[in-house]
């Protein structure tokens, strides 16, 4: 652009606020000059003609960008298939090595995010914005990390649970006032199914900071039943009847110690305990059956009698 054109452009800008379209050459116009031309007081036909000439002058750059964009899209769609293949391969690898199901779910959640991030960065580098994407991700990661401190604590809790293994999927636990069977150990939460078929979701950070009772960690479990009898009860006779009932119960370990004892003396009643060993998976079935039988014995001896 000549000095005269520049001066004319400046003078026109004082009156109209934008440069006249005649003073801008479409062959070497910058993006700012293109924007000025589109905002000028020129007619619609002049603006259209200028835009077409500008696009024609930039056709080589536009074609190069279009080729790059098509290649990036091609890589993206192929990459999605590769990501799915890698996820299946990762899952098969863990199944083949009998990795615990909770660890599998945890690793697969991370793998899905990781593989897709690699694909996004690859496409960004092809488009020439890789460094910008990395800088944005870094800044966003710092901001998100500060905003989601609680979620990061849950994430760390999930890693600790899978590393230290205080419980596994399928085991019955008691934690933070919740009892149930562990359904899954996810990145941020652990899902527990109660005996009445409710699903309770507990944050992993809360679990690692609480006392955990793993009921099914061992193969066998001691069954302890408390019940009350009057002071006038014949304790020796009652103990004999209840021991006979335990000997007839097939699910009780007969070779392990079993007993009926006085546990506590209250002002009005005598608190007794029945103790026996059973398989962990048979605990509740035996408990309910013995409670029913104890109730029948006490009813016959001290209610009907």
């Amino acid at each position: 652009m000549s000095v005269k054109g520049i001066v004319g452009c400046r003078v026109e800008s004082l009156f109209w606020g934008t440069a006249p379209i005649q003073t801008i050459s479409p062959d070497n116009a910058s993006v700012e000059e293109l924007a000025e031309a589109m905002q000028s007081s020129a007619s619609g036909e002049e603006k259209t003609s200028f835009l077409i000439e500008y696009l024609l002058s930039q056709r080589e750059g536009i074609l190069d960008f279009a080729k790059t964009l098509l290649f990036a899209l091609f890589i993206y769609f192929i990459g999605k298939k590769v990501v799915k293949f890698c996820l299946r391969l990762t899952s098969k690898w863990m199944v083949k090595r009998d990795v615990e199901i909770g660890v599998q779910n945890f690793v697969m959640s991370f793998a899905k995010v990781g593989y897709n991030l690699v694909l996004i960065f690859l496409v960004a580098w092809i488009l020439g914005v890789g460094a910008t994407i990395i800088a944005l991700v870094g800044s966003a990661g710092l901001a998100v990390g500060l905003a989601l401190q609680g979620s990061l604590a849950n994430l760390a809790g999930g890693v600790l649970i899978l590393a230290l293994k205080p419980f596994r999927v399928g085991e019955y636990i008691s934690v933070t006032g919740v009892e149930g069977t562990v359904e899954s150990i996810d990145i941020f939460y652990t899902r527990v199914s109660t005996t009445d078929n409710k699903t309770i979701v507990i944050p992993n950070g809360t679990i690692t900071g609480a006392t955990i009772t793993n009921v099914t960690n061992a193969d066998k479990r001691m069954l302890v039943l408390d019940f009350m009898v009057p002071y006038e009860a014949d304790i020796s006779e009652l103990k004999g009847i209840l021991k006979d009932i335990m000997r007839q119960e097939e699910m009780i370990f007969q070779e392990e110690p079993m007993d009926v004892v006085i546990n506590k003396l209250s002002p009005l009643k005598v608190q007794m305990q029945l103790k026996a060993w059973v398989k962990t998976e048979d605990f509740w079935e035996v408990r309910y059956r013995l409670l029913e039988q104890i109730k029948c014995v006490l009813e016959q001896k001290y209610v009907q009698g």
Side-chain angles (χ1 to χ4, degrees), residues 53-69:
E53 291 183 19
Y54 175 80
L55 293 177
L56 289 175
S57 67
Q58 303 293 327
R59 59 182 177 275
E60 292 184 3
I62 294 175
L63 288 175
D64 290 340
F65 177 75
K67 291 177 183 178
T68 303
L69 181 60

Side-chain angles (χ1 to χ4, degrees), residues 26-41:
D27 293 334
N28 55 6
S30 63
V31 176
E32 291 79 4
E33 291 175 328
L34 175 64
E36 289 182 2
M38 293 297 100
Q39 295 173 5
S40 67
S41 58

Side-chain angles (χ1 to χ4, degrees), residues 134-149 152:
I134 291 177
L136 289 174
V137 169
S139 302
L142 178 60
V144 170
L146 294 174
L148 301 178
Q149 292 182 12
L152 292 177

Side-chain angles (χ1 to χ4, degrees), residues 101 105 169-171 181-185 190-193 197-199:
I101 186 65
N105 294 335
V169 173
E171 293 184 338
T181 303
V182 179
E183 285 187 347
S184 65
I185 305 172
T190 293
R191 300 179 185 275
V192 175
S193 177
N197 205 29
K198 294 178 182 177
T199 298

Side-chain angles (χ1 to χ4, degrees), residues 229-271:
V229 297
Y231 271 92
E232 61 269 21
D234 188 338
I235 300 299
S236 299
E237 180 186 10
L238 182 60
K239 289 173 68 174
I241 295 173
L242 296 179
K243 284 184 177 180
D244 288 338
I245 291 176
M246 286 190 288
R247 293 189 189 100
Q248 295 172 10
E249 177 56 62
E250 297 179 352
M251 291 185 176
I252 291 179
F253 288 116
Q254 300 298 322
E255 66 277 7
E256 297 289 344
M258 64 177 74
D259 205 353
V260 179
V261 299
I262 295 177
N263 182 52
K264 186 179 179 181
L265 297 176
S266 66
L268 300 177
K269 296 275 188 175
V270 177
Q271 185 185 73

Side-chain angles (χ1 to χ4, degrees), residues 153-154 157 160-161 175-176 202-212:
N154 292 334
L160 288 175
I161 291 172
V175 60
T176 65
I202 311 173
N204 290 333
T206 302
I207 294 176
T208 54
T211 301
I212 305 170

